[in-house]
Amino acid sequence: LIEPLKQLSIAVEKIASGDLTVALPNRSSQDEVSMLVQSFGKLSDRLKSDRRQIVDAVNVLASSAGQIIRSTSSSADGAAET
């Protein structure tokens, strides 16, 4: 019982520090420790998904900001020519 909890603790510490590539220990039984490992696996998967969505949103925002800057610069250049 101690060794699986120790492995889980190490994996969860890595996840907490931002490493979402950590593989959680495999447990084939259905005891409480296995249920805990499965729950942390679901949590890790959700964090990965949320991180992907945030990165995608940041990229869309950066692209939109770039378009606004280009549009503003074009407008300013056009106004300066007249």
Side-chain angles (χ1 to χ4, degrees), residues 42-69:
K42 290 176 186 176
L43 175 65
S44 178
D45 289 344
R46 181 60 190 258
L47 289 171
K48 287 177 199 174
S49 175
D50 289 351
R51 178 185 275 179
R52 270 192 303 275
Q53 290 177 352
I54 290 169
V55 167
D56 290 346
V58 166
N59 289 335
V60 167
L61 181 61
S63 176
S64 297
Q67 290 174 352
I68 291 169
I69 290 170

Side-chain angles (χ1 to χ4, degrees), residues 1 6 12 16 18 20 30 32 35 56 60 64-66 71 76 78:
L1 181 64
K6 193 183 299 184
V12 170
L20 299 180
Q30 290 300 315
E32 291 84 358
M35 291 170 33
D56 290 346
V60 167
S64 297
S71 176

Side-chain angles (χ1 to χ4, degrees), residues 18-46:
D19 182 0
L20 299 180
T21 63
V22 173
L24 294 171
N26 289 328
R27 304 265 310 164
S28 58
S29 63
Q30 290 300 315
D31 61 5
E32 291 84 358
V33 174
S34 297
M35 291 170 33
L36 188 59
V37 169
Q38 290 173 2
S39 294
F40 275 112
K42 290 176 186 176
L43 175 65
S44 178
D45 289 344
R46 181 60 190 258

